[in-house]
């Protein structure tokens, strides 16, 4: 497994421009638009989990409802929210078992101006990261991204799927 941890700079202006362009990349991914292709980990009737295109740590995943919802709680019934949280839990557990990170961060980010489709980030902090480079520092694109190979991503997703079958 490629545990690339060296970060490379990212063009933040381009990232922000693309995320604020008015096209919902999650809806496009769900509709299987080839311009928005991602490595999909798993899907349920109501949710999809996939690898981040711009990971700040190897194994960084996103989980989103299939419906275009924008509020982290307000657009869900309690049952819908808990159903989605089960997917987040299962994917997080698979990531934890496959990568053995020091910590798995789970958070919802986004904005009405960019990435409005609500989604959760599952970010595995590799062991040995200095304290000053953990938490927010580890999550921020301003500190660069990792660039794993296509082969390592495919292998990782395969292992996640195997683990999910066993959970």
């Amino acid at each position: 497994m490629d545990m690339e941890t060296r970060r490379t700079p990212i063009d933040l202006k381009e990232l922000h421009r693309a995320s604020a362009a008015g096209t919902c990349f999650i809806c496009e991914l769900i509709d299987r638009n080839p311009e928005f292709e991602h490595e999909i980990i798993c899907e349920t009737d109501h949710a999809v989990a996939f690898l981040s295109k711009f990971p700040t740590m190897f194994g960084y995943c996103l989980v989103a409802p299939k419906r275009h919802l924008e509020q982290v709680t307000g657009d869900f019934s309690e049952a819908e929210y808990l159903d989605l949280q089960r997917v987040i839990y299962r994917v997080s557990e698979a990531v934890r078992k496959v990568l053995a990170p020091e910590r798995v961060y789970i958070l919802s980010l986004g904005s009405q101006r960019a990435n409005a489709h609500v989604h959760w980030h599952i970010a595995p902090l590799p062991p040995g990261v200095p304290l000053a480079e953990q938490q927010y520092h580890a999550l921020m694109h301003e500190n660069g991204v990792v660039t794993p190979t296509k082969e390592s991503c495919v292998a990782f997703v395969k292992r996640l799927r195997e683990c999910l079958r066993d959970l």
Side-chain angles (χ1 to χ4, degrees), residues 18-165:
S19 67
T23 301
C24 177
F25 85 94
I26 296 172
C27 288
E28 295 295 331
L29 168 136
I30 291 165
D31 289 342
R32 300 302 197 263
N33 180 336
E35 292 180 37
F36 294 88
E37 202 169 356
H38 286 68
E39 288 292 328
I40 295 177
I41 299 161
C42 67
E43 288 186 76
T44 68
D45 290 342
H46 306 288
V48 62
F50 53 96
L51 291 185
S52 172
K53 284 266 189 174
F54 306 104
T56 57
M57 294 168 269
F58 181 81
Y60 201 122
C61 308
L62 302 174
V63 177
K66 286 185 171 179
R67 286 190 302 139
H68 184 95
L69 303 174
E70 297 186 0
Q71 297 300 318
V72 74
T73 55
D75 288 344
F76 295 86
S77 70
E78 183 175 346
E80 290 170 329
Y81 183 82
L82 293 175
D83 183 57
L84 184 62
Q85 292 304 308
R86 275 190 276 289
V87 175
I88 294 165
Y89 172 83
R90 290 175 49 80
V91 172
S92 298
E93 272 298 285
V95 167
R96 189 181 64 78
K97 290 180 180 195
V98 169
L99 295 180
E102 181 174 325
R103 170 82 66 165
V104 176
Y105 300 134
I106 301 173
L107 59 157
S108 179
L109 297 170
S111 132
Q112 294 306 107
R113 292 187 209 145
N115 298 330
H117 192 132
V118 70
H119 57 283
W120 279 257
H121 298 244
I122 299 170
L125 180 71
V129 173
L131 180 60
E133 296 174 20
Q134 293 183 13
Q135 301 183 58
Y136 295 117
H137 185 282
L139 296 165
M140 301 301 292
H141 286 108
E142 288 83 347
N143 299 315
V145 295
V146 297
T147 52
T149 65
K150 172 81 169 167
E151 295 78 21
S152 65
C153 290
V154 169
F156 175 61
V157 167
K158 181 181 179 198
R159 289 186 62 199
L160 285 178
R161 289 177 182 158
E162 290 167 358
C163 190
L164 285 165
R165 278 192 292 272

Side-chain angles (χ1 to χ4, degrees), residues 8-21:
T8 57
I10 185 170
D11 183 345
L12 288 174
K13 287 182 182 176
E14 175 58 23
L15 180 64
H16 292 151
R17 187 200 61 74
S19 67

